[in-house]
Amino acid sequence: MDFLTLFALYVGLVLTCIVLVCRYSGRQQTPFNVLFNSVLKVVAPITPKWLQRFSQWALHRLFHQRNNMFIYLHILLEFAVYAEFTGEVFGFCREMDTTLTSLSVPYILLAIKTFFFYLCIKRDPGTVTKKKVAGQLHIYQYDRRLFHPGVSCPTCQFVKPARSKHCRVCNRCVQRFDHHCVWVNNCIGAQNTRYFLLYLFTVCAMAGDIALLTADMLLHAVLRSGLLRASYIDENGEQQPAGPLFVAQHLFLAFPRIVFMLGFLVFVFFLLAGYALFHSYLALVNQTSNEWYKSRGLVCQHCHPNTADHLCSPAPNHSNRHYYSRGLLRNLGEIFFPPQPAQKKDN
Ligand SMILES: [Zn+2]
Ligand SMILES: [Zn+2]
């Protein structure tokens, strides 16, 4: 396989991943699920029973039980990027007179990100407990659309406060439940959504900043080599000017690890920027991912023309999708200064 085919495949793969993730993020049934299930059906009859049991156990352990695997993977990927940046890009940038201030920004962002990452992992997301549940029940009103009064969690055996949900991975009910994040091995709820948002923004800034510095370095490498003015003799013996593909080939061959890292960073940046924007929107309208997901395609008994039963009483305001929104500033205030449950004083 010649270089250009390989390079086109690489660029195609990165772009396809970006498009697919943007297109299908947040959906339960994705082409990956369909493909994965189809492959499983085909290989199941020829796979030994012990291997099937092991893969089921491994998938269950990885995605349905709390474990630190994704935290280690996160640290490993980060280490690989920073090792490459420090080992190759940093020295080259110093040679081309990039200031130390610019070059220290990724390390400052890394320190800030690590701080928020730690808080996401360690802080309680707002677990509903026997001691706190009485206070937690009064924080939000039931919208009688997604959350109804008097519903108990069969596992925790508490009446569920409005906006709470039982996390099957952590086996607990969480106040203002957003989602369970495998990357921080914790639920994202009322008390740590602020750290999660700040973590997302700093990871985006980190990926974007290192990508910009790396792209700048590669641009300087091209300008310095004089490749843009160069020419080559093609197979017919004719002189051709070096075009963009020729330059890309040169960069791929001269700096393979750096070009690969740049592709990875661009992918991570677009993926996380989309995710961070989605969570910013949710924060501004005071909605959780769980509520956003449940609201999609929700058919209420009131609205359904063929149903006579009215389960919700009094009738909820169906036009108000953002039931808990109290204005942009108050919504943000609720994220960054989450309401605390009033605790009963023991006499
Ligand atoms: Zn529960
Ligand atoms: Zn959880």
Side-chain angles (χ1 to χ4, degrees):
M1 196 182 291
D2 69 351
F3 166 78
L4 284 181
T5 318
L6 197 67
F7 184 68
L9 278 175
Y10 173 74
V11 174
L13 186 72
V14 170
L15 292 177
T16 311
C17 286
I18 293 173
V19 171
L20 284 176
V21 167
C22 294
R23 175 91 174 77
Y24 292 104
S25 57
R27 295 191 184 185
Q28 220 164 37
Q29 193 69 324
T30 66
F32 302 113
N33 288 357
V34 176
L35 185 70
F36 186 69
N37 290 334
S38 312
V39 171
L40 272 188
K41 271 184 196 159
V42 174
V43 298
I46 51 168
T47 312
K49 280 274 177 283
W50 67 267
L51 192 59
Q52 284 185 31
R53 275 200 295 273
F54 174 76
S55 50
Q56 274 170 3
W57 171 82
L59 284 174
H60 178 72
R61 188 85 183 78
L62 208 54
F63 293 103
H64 299 130
Q65 281 187 343
R66 289 192 85 181
N67 69 82
N68 289 329
M69 198 57 77
F70 284 91
I71 294 181
Y72 300 143
L73 180 64
H74 184 297
I75 294 169
L76 189 75
L77 288 171
E78 207 165 70
F79 177 79
V81 168
Y82 270 83
E84 184 58 28
F85 176 74
T86 310
E88 292 200 75
V89 181
F90 192 95
F92 204 101
C93 286
R94 281 304 288 153
E95 274 178 36
M96 58 186 216
D97 296 335
T98 308
T99 61
L100 262 182
T101 315
S102 302
L103 286 172
S104 57
V105 172
Y107 300 99
I108 297 168
L109 287 172
L110 176 67
I112 300 172
K113 189 243 54 168
T114 307
F115 176 64
F116 291 130
F117 187 52
Y118 175 80
L119 289 175
C120 283
I121 295 168
K122 286 291 172 192
R123 282 290 166 96
D124 177 64
T127 307
V128 180
T129 61
K130 201 174 177 182
K131 201 175 166 190
K132 290 183 186 166
V133 69
Q136 285 166 328
L137 278 168
H138 293 107
I139 292 179
Y140 295 110
Q141 288 192 332
Y142 293 95
D143 64 353
R144 296 171 189 273
R145 183 170 173 259
L146 299 173
F147 306 102
H148 300 274
V151 177
S152 293
C153 170
T155 312
C156 305
Q157 302 197 326
F158 298 137
V159 173
K160 288 165 90 170
R163 312 191 78 183
S164 68
K165 187 177 184 286
H166 185 85
C167 174
R168 276 182 292 175
V169 181
C170 303
N171 198 27
R172 61 180 171 187
C173 275
V174 173
Q175 184 201 345
R176 200 187 185 278
F177 179 87
D178 193 279
H179 69 290
H180 179 89
C181 177
V182 290
W183 292 101
V184 298
N185 191 22
N186 201 0
C187 291
I188 305 302
Q191 306 300 329
N192 65 352
T193 300
R194 51 192 159 163
Y195 305 129
F196 183 69
L197 270 176
L198 294 168
Y199 158 71
L200 274 181
F201 282 123
T202 37
V203 182
C204 271
M206 253 169 63
D209 190 42
I210 300 178
L212 280 177
L213 284 168
T214 308
D216 188 39
M217 178 229 127
L218 291 175
L219 184 69
H220 271 81
V222 170
L223 291 175
R224 192 185 281 184
S225 65
L227 264 178
L228 293 177
R229 295 183 302 277
S231 57
Y232 67 98
I233 308 292
D234 67 8
E235 56 261 36
N236 301 324
E238 290 176 20
Q239 196 170 18
Q240 299 285 353
L245 279 174
F246 190 85
V247 173
Q249 179 173 358
H250 167 76
L251 287 176
F252 215 77
L253 293 174
F255 310 102
R257 286 191 299 275
I258 295 177
V259 173
F260 185 78
M261 177 183 82
L262 183 60
F264 173 71
L265 286 174
V266 169
F267 169 68
V268 167
F269 174 78
F270 279 106
L271 176 68
L272 290 181
Y275 198 55
L277 283 177
F278 172 62
H279 272 276
S280 306
Y281 160 76
L282 291 180
L284 290 173
V285 299
N286 204 335
Q287 200 176 31
T288 64
S289 305
N290 175 46
E291 291 157 11
W292 176 83
Y293 186 74
K294 280 186 176 169
S295 297
R296 297 170 76 203
L298 183 80
V299 179
C300 177
Q301 302 283 353
H302 278 288
C303 310
H304 204 285
N306 301 328
T307 308
D309 299 331
H310 280 202
L311 297 181
C312 313
S313 179
N317 179 6
H318 294 298
S319 60
N320 190 1
R321 282 183 64 218
H322 305 127
Y323 182 86
Y324 296 102
S325 180
R326 296 186 301 147
L328 295 185
L329 284 178
R330 281 184 166 196
N331 292 343
L332 283 180
E334 204 175 294
I335 297 282
F336 288 96
F337 307 99
Q340 300 294 330
Q343 296 224 18
K344 275 188 187 171
K345 284 181 184 160
D346 296 326
N347 294 318

